[in-house]
mmCIF file of all heavy atoms in Angstrom:
data_model
loop_
_atom_site.group_PDB
_atom_site.id
_atom_site.type_symbol
_atom_site.label_atom_id
_atom_site.label_comp_id
_atom_site.label_asym_id
_atom_site.label_seq_id
_atom_site.Cartn_x
_atom_site.Cartn_y
_atom_site.Cartn_z
ATOM 1 N N MET A 509 -12.911 -17.910 -15.300
ATOM 2 C CA MET A 509 -13.096 -18.369 -16.663
ATOM 3 C C MET A 509 -12.715 -17.221 -17.603
ATOM 4 O O MET A 509 -13.318 -16.156 -17.554
ATOM 5 C CB MET A 509 -14.546 -18.785 -16.889
ATOM 6 C CG MET A 509 -15.070 -19.809 -15.883
ATOM 7 S SD MET A 509 -13.997 -21.237 -15.629
ATOM 8 C CE MET A 509 -14.257 -22.100 -17.150
ATOM 9 N N LYS A 511 -12.404 -17.939 -20.949
ATOM 10 C CA LYS A 511 -12.666 -18.511 -22.276
ATOM 11 C C LYS A 511 -13.226 -17.442 -23.209
ATOM 12 O O LYS A 511 -13.713 -16.396 -22.750
ATOM 13 C CB LYS A 511 -13.655 -19.673 -22.131
ATOM 14 C CG LYS A 511 -14.968 -19.269 -21.483
ATOM 15 C CD LYS A 511 -15.749 -20.477 -20.981
ATOM 16 C CE LYS A 511 -17.098 -20.024 -20.432
ATOM 17 N NZ LYS A 511 -17.754 -21.043 -19.639
ATOM 18 N N TYR A 515 -14.508 -13.582 -22.275
ATOM 19 C CA TYR A 515 -15.879 -13.174 -22.592
ATOM 20 C C TYR A 515 -15.883 -11.954 -23.527
ATOM 21 O O TYR A 515 -16.678 -11.035 -23.389
ATOM 22 C CB TYR A 515 -16.683 -12.862 -21.318
ATOM 23 C CG TYR A 515 -17.047 -14.070 -20.475
ATOM 24 C CD1 TYR A 515 -16.110 -15.050 -20.190
ATOM 25 C CD2 TYR A 515 -18.332 -14.225 -19.955
ATOM 26 C CE1 TYR A 515 -16.438 -16.158 -19.411
ATOM 27 C CE2 TYR A 515 -18.668 -15.335 -19.170
ATOM 28 C CZ TYR A 515 -17.704 -16.297 -18.909
ATOM 29 O OH TYR A 515 -18.012 -17.381 -18.136
ATOM 30 N N MET A 555 -6.982 -24.668 -16.697
ATOM 31 C CA MET A 555 -7.782 -25.848 -17.005
ATOM 32 C C MET A 555 -8.447 -25.650 -18.366
ATOM 33 O O MET A 555 -8.955 -24.577 -18.661
ATOM 34 C CB MET A 555 -8.858 -26.043 -15.928
ATOM 35 C CG MET A 555 -9.704 -27.276 -16.133
ATOM 36 S SD MET A 555 -10.980 -27.467 -14.854
ATOM 37 C CE MET A 555 -12.291 -26.484 -15.555
ATOM 38 N N LEU A 557 -11.464 -26.748 -20.641
ATOM 39 C CA LEU A 557 -12.771 -27.386 -20.467
ATOM 40 C C LEU A 557 -13.070 -28.447 -21.511
ATOM 41 O O LEU A 557 -13.729 -29.434 -21.256
ATOM 42 C CB LEU A 557 -13.876 -26.327 -20.594
ATOM 43 C CG LEU A 557 -14.053 -25.329 -19.454
ATOM 44 C CD1 LEU A 557 -15.010 -24.242 -19.899
ATOM 45 C CD2 LEU A 557 -14.592 -26.045 -18.229
ATOM 46 N N GLU A 575 -9.643 -31.019 -18.814
ATOM 47 C CA GLU A 575 -10.819 -31.569 -18.163
ATOM 48 C C GLU A 575 -11.094 -32.880 -18.883
ATOM 49 O O GLU A 575 -11.148 -32.936 -20.109
ATOM 50 C CB GLU A 575 -11.993 -30.606 -18.333
ATOM 51 C CG GLU A 575 -13.315 -31.184 -17.895
ATOM 52 C CD GLU A 575 -14.478 -30.242 -18.207
ATOM 53 O OE1 GLU A 575 -14.498 -29.124 -17.648
ATOM 54 O OE2 GLU A 575 -15.336 -30.610 -19.011
ATOM 55 N N LYS A 602 -14.650 -34.286 -14.850
ATOM 56 C CA LYS A 602 -15.950 -33.595 -14.935
ATOM 57 C C LYS A 602 -17.072 -34.610 -14.775
ATOM 58 O O LYS A 602 -17.115 -35.630 -15.464
ATOM 59 C CB LYS A 602 -16.053 -32.922 -16.307
ATOM 60 C CG LYS A 602 -17.382 -32.250 -16.615
ATOM 61 C CD LYS A 602 -17.526 -30.946 -15.857
ATOM 62 C CE LYS A 602 -18.405 -29.915 -16.530
ATOM 63 N NZ LYS A 602 -17.889 -29.338 -17.735
ATOM 64 N N ARG A 609 -24.263 -32.093 -20.651
ATOM 65 C CA ARG A 609 -23.441 -31.491 -21.694
ATOM 66 C C ARG A 609 -22.165 -32.319 -21.791
ATOM 67 O O ARG A 609 -22.010 -33.104 -22.711
ATOM 68 C CB ARG A 609 -23.155 -30.022 -21.339
ATOM 69 C CG ARG A 609 -22.494 -29.252 -22.441
ATOM 70 C CD ARG A 609 -22.478 -27.749 -22.170
ATOM 71 N NE ARG A 609 -21.558 -27.370 -21.085
ATOM 72 C CZ ARG A 609 -21.319 -26.105 -20.730
ATOM 73 N NH1 ARG A 609 -21.935 -25.105 -21.353
ATOM 74 N NH2 ARG A 609 -20.492 -25.834 -19.766
ATOM 75 N N LEU A 636 -15.098 -31.776 -10.814
ATOM 76 C CA LEU A 636 -16.035 -30.669 -10.970
ATOM 77 C C LEU A 636 -17.321 -31.116 -11.645
ATOM 78 O O LEU A 636 -17.413 -32.200 -12.233
ATOM 79 C CB LEU A 636 -15.416 -29.542 -11.796
ATOM 80 C CG LEU A 636 -15.133 -29.794 -13.285
ATOM 81 C CD1 LEU A 636 -15.248 -28.491 -14.056
ATOM 82 C CD2 LEU A 636 -13.757 -30.413 -13.475
ATOM 83 N N SER A 637 -18.304 -30.260 -11.517
ATOM 84 C CA SER A 637 -19.533 -30.438 -12.265
ATOM 85 C C SER A 637 -20.075 -29.043 -12.571
ATOM 86 O O SER A 637 -19.525 -28.044 -12.082
ATOM 87 C CB SER A 637 -20.540 -31.264 -11.459
ATOM 88 O OG SER A 637 -21.650 -31.560 -12.270
ATOM 89 N N HIS A 638 -21.078 -28.958 -13.396
ATOM 90 C CA HIS A 638 -21.580 -27.645 -13.794
ATOM 91 C C HIS A 638 -23.085 -27.621 -13.624
ATOM 92 O O HIS A 638 -23.767 -28.593 -13.947
ATOM 93 C CB HIS A 638 -21.200 -27.383 -15.257
ATOM 94 C CG HIS A 638 -21.385 -25.958 -15.683
ATOM 95 N ND1 HIS A 638 -20.953 -24.890 -14.932
ATOM 96 C CD2 HIS A 638 -21.946 -25.424 -16.795
ATOM 97 C CE1 HIS A 638 -21.243 -23.749 -15.566
ATOM 98 N NE2 HIS A 638 -21.852 -24.056 -16.697
ATOM 99 N N SER A 642 -28.269 -22.454 -11.884
ATOM 100 C CA SER A 642 -27.873 -21.721 -10.684
ATOM 101 C C SER A 642 -28.407 -20.293 -10.681
ATOM 102 O O SER A 642 -28.448 -19.639 -9.661
ATOM 103 C CB SER A 642 -26.347 -21.707 -10.569
ATOM 104 O OG SER A 642 -25.796 -20.976 -11.638
ATOM 105 N N ILE A 677 -18.158 -26.711 -8.128
ATOM 106 C CA ILE A 677 -19.371 -26.835 -8.932
ATOM 107 C C ILE A 677 -20.012 -25.478 -9.256
ATOM 108 O O ILE A 677 -20.798 -25.371 -10.185
ATOM 109 C CB ILE A 677 -20.399 -27.770 -8.222
ATOM 110 C CG1 ILE A 677 -21.610 -28.046 -9.116
ATOM 111 C CG2 ILE A 677 -20.840 -27.193 -6.879
ATOM 112 C CD1 ILE A 677 -22.514 -29.158 -8.632
ATOM 113 N N LEU A 678 -19.622 -24.406 -8.532
ATOM 114 C CA LEU A 678 -20.359 -23.145 -8.691
ATOM 115 C C LEU A 678 -19.790 -22.221 -9.757
ATOM 116 O O LEU A 678 -18.588 -21.985 -9.805
ATOM 117 C CB LEU A 678 -20.375 -22.383 -7.359
ATOM 118 C CG LEU A 678 -21.003 -23.090 -6.160
ATOM 119 C CD1 LEU A 678 -20.966 -22.177 -4.941
ATOM 120 C CD2 LEU A 678 -22.439 -23.513 -6.467
ATOM 121 N N ASN A 679 -20.662 -21.674 -10.600
ATOM 122 C CA ASN A 679 -20.290 -20.562 -11.482
ATOM 123 C C ASN A 679 -20.735 -19.269 -10.799
ATOM 124 O O ASN A 679 -21.077 -19.273 -9.618
ATOM 125 C CB ASN A 679 -20.950 -20.742 -12.856
ATOM 126 C CG ASN A 679 -22.474 -20.684 -12.756
ATOM 127 O OD1 ASN A 679 -23.032 -20.821 -11.676
ATOM 128 N ND2 ASN A 679 -23.126 -20.481 -13.882
ATOM 129 N N THR A 680 -20.726 -18.153 -11.522
ATOM 130 C CA THR A 680 -21.039 -16.858 -10.903
ATOM 131 C C THR A 680 -22.357 -16.889 -10.133
ATOM 132 O O THR A 680 -22.405 -16.564 -8.941
ATOM 133 C CB THR A 680 -21.122 -15.758 -11.986
ATOM 134 O OG1 THR A 680 -19.881 -15.697 -12.672
ATOM 135 C CG2 THR A 680 -21.423 -14.404 -11.364
ATOM 136 N N SER A 681 -23.435 -17.273 -10.806
ATOM 137 C CA SER A 681 -24.738 -17.254 -10.121
ATOM 138 C C SER A 681 -24.756 -18.242 -8.975
ATOM 139 O O SER A 681 -25.424 -18.028 -7.963
ATOM 140 C CB SER A 681 -25.862 -17.609 -11.091
ATOM 141 O OG SER A 681 -25.837 -16.755 -12.174
ATOM 142 N N ARG A 695 -15.902 -21.264 -9.768
ATOM 143 C CA ARG A 695 -15.480 -20.840 -11.111
ATOM 144 C C ARG A 695 -16.229 -19.574 -11.502
ATOM 145 O O ARG A 695 -17.400 -19.602 -11.866
ATOM 146 C CB ARG A 695 -15.776 -21.939 -12.137
ATOM 147 C CG ARG A 695 -15.048 -23.249 -11.861
ATOM 148 C CD ARG A 695 -15.230 -24.232 -13.002
ATOM 149 N NE ARG A 695 -16.616 -24.525 -13.294
ATOM 150 C CZ ARG A 695 -17.344 -25.471 -12.685
ATOM 151 N NH1 ARG A 695 -16.798 -26.222 -11.736
ATOM 152 N NH2 ARG A 695 -18.594 -25.663 -13.036
ATOM 153 N N LEU A 696 -15.526 -18.445 -11.390
ATOM 154 C CA LEU A 696 -16.148 -17.152 -11.666
ATOM 155 C C LEU A 696 -16.064 -16.834 -13.156
ATOM 156 O O LEU A 696 -14.997 -16.933 -13.751
ATOM 157 C CB LEU A 696 -15.424 -16.068 -10.851
ATOM 158 C CG LEU A 696 -15.894 -14.638 -11.046
ATOM 159 C CD1 LEU A 696 -17.332 -14.466 -10.578
ATOM 160 C CD2 LEU A 696 -14.979 -13.680 -10.278
ATOM 161 N N GLY A 697 -17.174 -16.448 -13.754
ATOM 162 C CA GLY A 697 -17.180 -16.082 -15.172
ATOM 163 C C GLY A 697 -17.765 -14.696 -15.362
ATOM 164 O O GLY A 697 -17.142 -13.683 -15.021
ATOM 165 N N ILE A 698 -18.992 -14.650 -15.815
ATOM 166 C CA ILE A 698 -19.633 -13.397 -16.238
ATOM 167 C C ILE A 698 -19.566 -12.282 -15.191
ATOM 168 O O ILE A 698 -19.458 -11.114 -15.534
ATOM 169 C CB ILE A 698 -21.108 -13.684 -16.643
ATOM 170 C CG1 ILE A 698 -21.745 -12.515 -17.390
ATOM 171 C CG2 ILE A 698 -21.959 -14.036 -15.423
ATOM 172 C CD1 ILE A 698 -21.592 -12.598 -18.862
ATOM 173 N N GLY A 699 -19.601 -12.660 -13.917
ATOM 174 C CA GLY A 699 -19.601 -11.653 -12.853
ATOM 175 C C GLY A 699 -18.350 -10.791 -12.887
ATOM 176 O O GLY A 699 -18.389 -9.587 -12.632
ATOM 177 N N ASN A 705 -26.635 -12.042 -13.142
ATOM 178 C CA ASN A 705 -27.938 -12.513 -13.586
ATOM 179 C C ASN A 705 -29.028 -12.089 -12.614
ATOM 180 O O ASN A 705 -30.179 -12.436 -12.777
ATOM 181 C CB ASN A 705 -27.918 -14.040 -13.719
ATOM 182 C CG ASN A 705 -26.969 -14.476 -14.818
ATOM 183 O OD1 ASN A 705 -27.020 -13.941 -15.915
ATOM 184 N ND2 ASN A 705 -26.084 -15.406 -14.516
ATOM 185 N N TYR A 825 -24.075 -12.789 -22.119
ATOM 186 C CA TYR A 825 -22.915 -13.565 -22.569
ATOM 187 C C TYR A 825 -22.774 -13.477 -24.091
ATOM 188 O O TYR A 825 -21.688 -13.332 -24.630
ATOM 189 C CB TYR A 825 -23.086 -15.049 -22.220
ATOM 190 C CG TYR A 825 -23.227 -15.408 -20.752
ATOM 191 C CD1 TYR A 825 -24.388 -15.106 -20.055
ATOM 192 C CD2 TYR A 825 -22.221 -16.087 -20.096
ATOM 193 C CE1 TYR A 825 -24.537 -15.471 -18.716
ATOM 194 C CE2 TYR A 825 -22.361 -16.456 -18.751
ATOM 195 C CZ TYR A 825 -23.530 -16.146 -18.075
ATOM 196 O OH TYR A 825 -23.672 -16.507 -16.764
HETATM 197 C C1 PLP B 3 -18.395 -20.704 -18.558
HETATM 198 C C2 PLP B 3 -18.348 -21.617 -17.423
HETATM 199 C C3 PLP B 3 -18.363 -21.138 -16.109
HETATM 200 C C4 PLP B 3 -18.600 -19.706 -15.757
HETATM 201 O O1 PLP B 3 -19.973 -19.398 -15.859
HETATM 202 P P1 PLP B 3 -20.549 -17.970 -15.527
HETATM 203 O O2 PLP B 3 -22.020 -18.111 -15.564
HETATM 204 O O3 PLP B 3 -20.055 -17.066 -16.585
HETATM 205 O O4 PLP B 3 -20.029 -17.611 -14.192
HETATM 206 C C5 PLP B 3 -18.174 -22.048 -15.099
HETATM 207 N N1 PLP B 3 -18.000 -23.361 -15.362
HETATM 208 C C6 PLP B 3 -18.023 -23.856 -16.600
HETATM 209 C C7 PLP B 3 -17.846 -25.321 -16.813
HETATM 210 C C8 PLP B 3 -18.216 -23.009 -17.686
HETATM 211 O O5 PLP B 3 -18.249 -23.498 -18.927
#
Side-chain angles (χ1 to χ4, degrees):
M509 306 311 287
K511 58 197 184 195
Y515 289 45
M555 182 181 87
L557 287 170
E575 170 186 297
K602 175 75 152 291
R609 189 168 71 176
L636 68 150
S637 187
H638 193 46
S642 65
I677 187 168
L678 301 182
N679 64 343
T680 301
S681 304
R695 299 188 303 274
L696 178 64
I698 193 91
N705 295 312
Y825 299 72

